[in-house]
Amino acid sequence: MPDAQHDASPSQADSPSDSSAAPSKSQGQKGHPFWDFWGPVIFTLALYLGIRHYVAEARFIPSGSMLPGLQIQDRLLVEKLSYARRGPKRGEIVVFNSPHAFDPALKTAGSPPTFRCALANFPLLGLIPGLSHPACDAYIKRVVAVGGDQVSVNPRGEVRVNGDPVDEPYVTKYCPVDEQGMSLCRTLNVTVPEGHVLALGDNRSNSWDGRYWPGGPFLPEDQIIGRALWRFWPLNRLGTLGS
């Protein structure tokens, strides 16, 4: 009996110590209310922006310049990893900054800063009146020639690169020509400088592309946002975008 009482006494003595230590431990683990709420929000936002800037982003088709292959309001996935390792290739569909952002005849001193364009292209924020600007828009066209290529575009919109005609099965809407072989579409006969590409819309009869930019027909490679790779909407036309 004395031994039993002696064995119990340490546990009775330890109990108050344990109970008093427990609250201080839990208090030390308690986070700040600001970070408890905003921490996950900031992390999620940073992850989204990181993926959007470096990996891929979603875009939609606002016009008919790429008909018939890409329809108005098609939703596309634009990937950005390929062009971190190489330059664009002929036949690839690229999304790039508006000519108002780089064309010397269109770019003005009042062009918005990069931060404003980033906000304008953020989902829903672009709907804020006065935030959008032509220089913040993005265009989508097809690369028909790369740096060093000698390229010509005739009145119909047909392309020859380095003297050879280019087979473009995705182009069905050529410019109409009259009996003299003339049309309202502009022609080109140029050599593409290094670090640039020539990009045209598949809808050659209705596309504001390199043929019409007042400062010159060439798209700088550093203005390319990424390569249009995958159509995810509408579901009945879901799939990759072949060259």
Side-chain angles (χ1 to χ4, degrees):
M1 290 295 291
D3 290 340
Q5 292 174 354
H6 180 76
D7 289 341
S9 60
S11 63
Q12 292 170 355
D14 290 343
S15 296
S17 176
D18 292 342
S19 60
S20 63
S24 62
K25 184 177 180 181
S26 62
Q27 289 173 359
Q29 293 177 340
K30 186 176 181 181
H32 192 282
F34 176 87
W35 293 112
D36 285 345
F37 177 80
W38 287 108
V41 175
I42 294 173
F43 175 79
T44 302
L45 183 61
L47 183 63
Y48 166 79
L49 292 175
I51 292 174
R52 190 174 190 271
H53 185 76
Y54 294 105
V55 181
E57 64 178 270
R59 291 278 180 170
F60 76 97
I61 303 297
S63 71
S65 69
M66 292 295 288
L67 290 170
L70 298 180
Q71 304 288 320
I72 298 175
Q73 297 299 319
D74 277 1
R75 263 61 175 177
L76 310 177
L77 181 66
V78 178
E79 66 91 9
K80 306 183 178 186
L81 296 177
S82 294
Y83 295 154
R85 305 187 303 270
R86 63 168 177 84
K89 297 180 180 179
R90 299 187 200 101
E92 291 182 336
I93 300 173
V94 294
V95 174
F96 56 93
N97 294 324
S98 162
H100 290 273
F102 62 84
D103 187 295
L106 296 173
K107 189 176 182 179
T108 64
S111 295
T114 303
F115 178 73
R116 175 178 167 183
C117 287
L119 291 178
N121 289 315
F122 199 82
L124 300 181
L125 291 183
L127 301 177
I128 299 176
L131 187 60
S132 62
H133 188 279
C136 299
D137 294 339
Y139 283 52
I140 182 167
K141 308 293 179 188
R142 190 182 298 272
V143 174
V144 300
V146 298
D149 285 341
Q150 196 286 323
V151 56
S152 63
V153 184
N154 68 16
R156 292 193 70 226
E158 296 168 324
V159 177
R160 297 179 72 93
V161 174
N162 300 322
D164 299 322
V166 179
D167 181 25
E168 298 182 291
Y170 34 78
V171 179
T172 61
K173 296 180 178 294
Y174 287 103
C175 303
V177 296
D178 59 21
E179 294 179 354
Q180 285 75 41
M182 304 300 292
S183 78
L184 296 178
C185 296
R186 293 185 182 176
T187 60
L188 285 176
N189 190 0
V190 294
T191 299
V192 183
E194 295 295 336
H196 296 71
V197 300
L198 178 64
L200 304 179
D202 288 353
N203 184 359
R204 297 290 156 79
S205 63
N206 188 18
S207 173
W208 194 61
D209 49 40
R211 295 171 293 173
Y212 301 98
W213 298 341
F218 307 118
L219 166 64
E221 290 184 8
D222 61 8
Q223 296 296 318
I224 296 176
I225 296 170
R227 177 171 65 114
L229 181 66
W230 182 271
R231 175 169 37 216
F232 63 88
W233 190 265
L235 295 178
N236 64 337
R237 289 189 288 114
L238 180 147
T240 57
L241 304 177
S243 62

